[in-house]
Amino acid sequence: MPTALTDLCRYPIVQAPMAGGVSCPQLAAAVAEAGGLGFLAAGYKTADGMYNEIKQVRGLTGQPFGVNLFMPQPNLADPSAVEVYRHQLAGEAVWYETPLGETDSGGDDGYEAKLAILLEDPVPVVSFTFGCPSRDTLDAFAEVGTYTVVTVTTPEEAQAAQWAGADAVCAQGVEAGGHQSTHRDDPQADGMGTGLLSLVAQVCETVQIPVIAAGGLMRGSQIAAVLAAGAGAAQLGTAFMICPESGAHLLHKQALTNPLFVRTTLTRAFSGRPARGLVNRFVREHGPYAPAAYPQLHQLTTPLRKAAAKAGDAQGMALWAGQGHRMARELPAGRLVGLLAEELDAARAALSARSTQ
């Protein structure tokens, strides 16, 4: 097993696993071929669907890559609150001419079946979102030579991951696009996340395992900053979303740099869990009333989001994006990795030059 994630890739650049089809095999393979670490997102996929994508990546590249899993979620949702929200969305269902989704399909995301596949036919890296696996699970991955990463949002979560036997943690700052990977969904903590540079410094002082930094990173100079703060690598999501290999919907890609969308916010409107996205009509109208109910709200709104995309209406889509979204560059993924590496080298050289003056 590698002692550091960067033993698996030429550059300290990780492509974030973005669920919902964004982190597709073509994107992961292109990043891996260019010297970064590409990732598949197994969230919202069946175990067979995940395995098919793994086979596709292996057919496109011989370089190492990773797979991200969602941890099973406890059912803490208030059924009455979900029903109130269902009634609130009735007008959306009429507008998009689609029924709302059912909310009884469970919250384990096929976790055990996916574990079985990844232990039977190992991949180089497996990361986890929304919690920390058991020591037995992490030990099982160690036995088959898989490097494990647990996504964390606090020093305490990082310490728990280290105790459980993770090889590394991914420190996710509040600037990150998509879902906040808190291990416990606490509505009282909404909007209270920690900025990335502060979080990286705190996590590096708390654990002795490698730290990957994630959250709003779009340029090589920002990668240099988090490496200087103690991280061993940087994870970028929104930066890769606009690449031609990305599986993101065209409207989503266009929205990232569209002046119409001027800011992001953390919202529960689409999934019932805090996630950062562009502020659109749906977020403004429904975000303030969305209860803490994941994955029930995700299941409830899935048909609406699909219908909005089909209708070409970005105002009804979940436009996940980090705070640096306006800095996105429409480049092939491999070229973007190379450019980020060049910018990182330039930033390090500039810092070195200043330190010798």
Side-chain angles (χ1 to χ4, degrees):
M1 182 184 296
T3 56
L5 195 66
T6 46
D7 292 343
L8 294 166
C9 48
R10 193 184 329 152
Y11 305 121
I13 298 170
V14 181
Q15 166 247 310
M18 294 169 280
V22 180
S23 296
C24 58
Q26 292 76 18
L27 179 60
V31 170
E33 281 290 296
L37 184 71
F39 253 95
L40 291 175
Y44 308 136
K45 291 185 174 69
T46 65
D48 287 343
M50 176 196 74
Y51 189 53
N52 285 333
E53 291 203 345
I54 290 172
K55 290 191 290 185
Q56 289 181 54
V57 174
R58 287 171 172 161
L60 293 168
T61 181
Q63 298 300 315
F65 64 95
V67 174
N68 175 261
L69 300 180
F70 285 175
M71 291 297 298
Q73 297 298 292
N75 185 6
L76 303 177
D78 179 353
S80 62
V82 175
E83 282 307 301
V84 169
Y85 198 60
R86 178 186 290 276
H87 288 302
Q88 180 177 330
L89 296 180
E92 300 282 350
V94 173
W95 177 255
Y96 290 115
E97 299 180 338
T98 185
L100 297 171
E102 297 302 322
T103 58
D104 57 358
S105 58
D108 70 350
D109 199 51
Y111 179 72
E112 293 295 337
K114 291 171 183 176
L115 284 184
I117 289 173
L118 292 169
L119 290 170
E120 177 67 24
D121 190 359
V123 298
V125 185
V126 171
S127 67
F128 301 87
T129 294
F130 299 152
C132 182
S134 68
R135 172 168 286 278
D136 287 346
T137 296
L138 293 171
D139 286 348
F141 277 115
E143 289 176 9
V144 299
T146 294
Y147 193 90
T148 53
V149 182
V150 174
T151 311
V152 302
T153 60
T154 66
E156 293 76 19
E157 291 174 352
Q159 190 169 63
Q162 177 177 269
W163 286 343
D167 293 307
V169 292
C170 178
Q172 184 198 47
V174 73
E175 305 94 331
H179 284 97
Q180 294 286 291
S181 188
T182 52
H183 292 192
R184 178 174 172 267
D185 185 11
D186 179 8
Q188 300 301 316
D190 281 6
M192 298 174 62
T194 304
L196 181 58
L197 282 175
S198 178
L199 179 63
V200 167
Q202 293 177 52
V203 170
C204 286
E205 290 191 1
T206 302
V207 300
Q208 286 74 52
I209 55 179
V211 177
I212 303 165
L217 303 176
M218 304 293 288
R219 296 287 188 268
S221 57
Q222 294 173 300
I223 297 174
V226 295
L227 297 183
Q235 180 171 286
L236 293 79
T238 305
F240 285 104
M241 190 178 293
I242 202 171
C243 294
E245 298 92 342
S246 158
H249 193 282
L250 178 60
L251 289 175
H252 195 163
K253 293 182 179 184
Q254 293 172 339
L256 293 177
T257 54
N258 187 336
L260 180 66
F261 300 101
V262 297
R263 66 185 181 93
T264 66
T265 190
L266 289 170
T267 182
R268 294 179 180 269
F270 294 103
S271 72
R273 234 183 185 276
R276 183 172 298 281
L278 301 176
V279 176
N280 60 6
R281 178 194 61 78
F282 196 100
V283 170
R284 287 192 298 269
E285 292 183 2
H286 303 294
Y289 312 104
Y294 179 88
Q296 288 84 357
L297 264 58
H298 167 78
Q299 297 159 353
L300 189 68
T301 65
T302 293
L304 295 178
R305 289 179 276 121
K306 289 181 177 179
K310 186 176 180 180
D313 182 10
Q315 296 294 338
M317 297 170 60
L319 303 173
W320 304 139
Q323 286 185 343
H325 65 95
R326 294 295 293 277
M327 300 170 71
R329 297 175 283 198
E330 190 175 356
L331 295 170
R335 176 68 187 115
L336 179 57
V337 171
L339 182 57
L340 289 167
E342 292 170 8
E343 292 172 346
L344 171 59
D345 287 342
R348 284 171 157 171
L351 181 61
S352 177
R354 285 196 295 270
S355 66
T356 59
Q357 290 177 352

